[in-house]
Amino acid sequence: MFQPLKPWQWALVSAAVVVAALIPAVTQNTYLLHVLILSMIFGIFALAWNLVTGFAGLKTFGHHAFFGIGAYVSALISINAGLSPWLTIWIAAIAATIAGIFVGVPILRIKSMPHVAIVTLGFAEIVRIVISNLQSITRGELGLWGIPPFTGFSIPGIGRVVFSPADKVPYYYLVLILLALSMAVVALLMRSKTGLSIVAMRDAEDAAESLGVNLTQQKLLVFGVSAFLVGVAGAFYGHYIGILTPTAAVGVDLMILIIAMVLVGGLGTLSGPLIGALILTAAVELLRDLEDYRLLVYGAIIIVVTMFLPRGLASLGPMIVKRLRTRSPENS
């Protein structure tokens, strides 16, 4: 369970929120906002995967299945039923949650974590193959296009808010709100008694079970919450990008990217996945000109960070504060 935030941590959180909220006021550069939007989408995904693996200790490699389910369910319902994306993203998130519980019931009783990882990865591959083969519905690798954007609305005193490819600002603020809500859900969960049970389950399953922790119930809870958040991220991604392919939405490359983000940022931390998502999403975009060498530099970044900062970039803050305290006049 998390400890209460210290003053310097509150200051950093407050500064990050203010900076994030003011970025569109400083610049409306379409490309910059696009990168930041992708960073926040992947940040929600990374935060949800970190909840399962970093906090609960469940080694799952198939969460991209829930991302794809969220994206395709929301897009297909919106296209075929004519429902607003404001409604379909939550339907899609519930569908992802049901899929998470469906796959979780049989596999989360398995004690061997490598087996859990392989089974979840296999489940994601099944989802990708099904989406690819249902060409009459999903159009397969040809791409599901014509996905409706979020419907606009009016805000008194501000005017009409319109979601269009040319204007990234509404998308930016919407995904920022979704990210903040996702962080609040994870933080509140981990600060509760349930969070203490989850951490106890991660550190010592047998000991936690002997103290009365229902392992199956806790695992399904974490898996369901995580699948819901990933489903929301996937649904938003589909309506933001406007076109979906199985490779982009359910490809294993996406899962590898999310794992890298969490490891670079800091596994088992609240801020780590967000830091990793921002840095690696920006790195992918900035290194596109290197073509074939881009992946080499990308891999080198991951290796260097994991070698010298095993707990991720999120550990830099506490390290700096600790050194400053040891060098302060009061301790000299």
Side-chain angles (χ1 to χ4, degrees), residues 258-276:
I258 296 301
I259 293 173
M261 288 175 177
V262 176
L263 293 178
V264 168
L267 185 67
T269 64
L270 184 61
S271 61
L274 308 184
I275 296 172

Side-chain angles (χ1 to χ4, degrees), residues 5-331:
L5 292 180
K6 298 176 181 178
W8 67 270
Q9 292 174 319
W10 275 115
L12 286 178
V13 171
S14 301
V17 171
V18 172
V19 169
L22 291 178
I23 284 177
V26 175
T27 176
Q28 294 190 7
N29 182 284
T30 302
Y31 181 68
L32 174 61
L33 292 180
H34 173 69
V35 172
L36 292 176
I37 290 170
L38 289 180
S39 299
M40 288 187 279
I41 294 173
F42 294 143
I44 296 173
F45 191 163
L47 189 71
W49 185 77
N50 181 59
L51 173 63
V52 170
T53 303
F55 291 128
L58 305 175
K59 307 301 187 290
T60 65
F61 291 162
H63 261 53
H64 50 304
F66 309 132
F67 188 86
I69 289 172
Y72 273 93
V73 167
S74 183
L76 288 171
I77 293 177
S78 185
I79 292 172
N80 298 317
L83 296 180
S84 170
W86 294 104
L87 176 61
T88 60
I89 61 171
W90 305 113
I91 297 175
I94 293 173
T97 304
I98 294 172
I101 295 175
F102 172 78
V103 71
V105 169
I107 70 167
L108 294 184
R109 296 177 182 271
I110 302 174
K111 295 291 184 180
S112 172
M113 285 298 107
H115 286 83
V116 173
I118 295 299
V119 171
T120 51
L121 183 60
F123 170 74
E125 188 63 13
I126 291 172
V127 171
R128 187 192 67 79
I129 292 173
V130 169
I131 293 175
S132 297
N133 290 335
L134 292 177
Q135 295 187 9
S136 60
I137 300 175
T138 65
R139 297 172 189 155
E141 289 295 343
L142 295 176
L144 179 64
W145 50 272
I147 303 173
F150 289 93
T151 52
F153 55 90
S154 298
I155 299 178
I158 296 179
R160 185 72 179 171
V161 177
V162 179
F163 292 86
S164 68
D167 188 3
K168 303 293 185 183
V169 175
Y171 285 104
Y172 177 89
Y173 281 117
L174 177 56
V175 74
L176 180 61
I177 292 172
L178 292 176
L179 177 61
L181 291 175
S182 300
M183 289 185 66
V185 168
V186 175
L188 290 173
L189 177 64
M190 295 310 299
R191 289 181 185 277
S192 66
K193 292 182 180 180
T194 301
L196 184 60
S197 300
I198 291 171
V199 173
M201 177 180 67
R202 177 196 66 188
D203 294 340
E205 278 197 5
D206 294 336
E209 190 173 25
S210 68
L211 294 174
V213 176
N214 189 324
L215 299 182
T216 301
Q217 180 180 335
Q218 296 298 328
K219 289 178 180 180
L220 287 177
L221 172 64
V222 172
F223 215 72
V225 172
S226 179
F228 182 89
L229 296 178
V230 175
V232 171
F236 179 90
Y237 176 84
H239 291 286
Y240 171 65
I241 297 298
I243 184 170
L244 292 172
T245 63
T247 301
V250 205
V252 69
D253 290 349
L254 176 60
M255 190 70 247
I256 294 174
L257 176 63
I258 296 301
I259 293 173
M261 288 175 177
V262 176
L263 293 178
V264 168
L267 185 67
T269 64
L270 184 61
S271 61
L274 308 184
I275 296 172
L278 177 61
I279 291 177
L280 292 189
T281 303
V284 169
E285 296 297 327
L286 292 174
L287 297 175
R288 285 192 183 278
D289 292 339
L290 296 180
E291 297 180 353
D292 294 340
Y293 297 99
R294 175 171 57 89
L295 293 180
L296 291 176
V297 178
Y298 180 59
I301 294 173
I302 298 173
I303 292 172
V304 169
V305 172
T306 52
M307 282 181 61
F308 294 98
L309 292 170
R311 296 184 179 180
L313 294 173
S315 63
L316 274 176
M319 289 172 56
I320 293 173
V321 171
K322 186 176 180 180
R323 289 190 177 183
L324 291 175
R325 286 180 176 176
T326 56
R327 294 181 180 180
S328 64
E330 297 178 357
N331 297 324

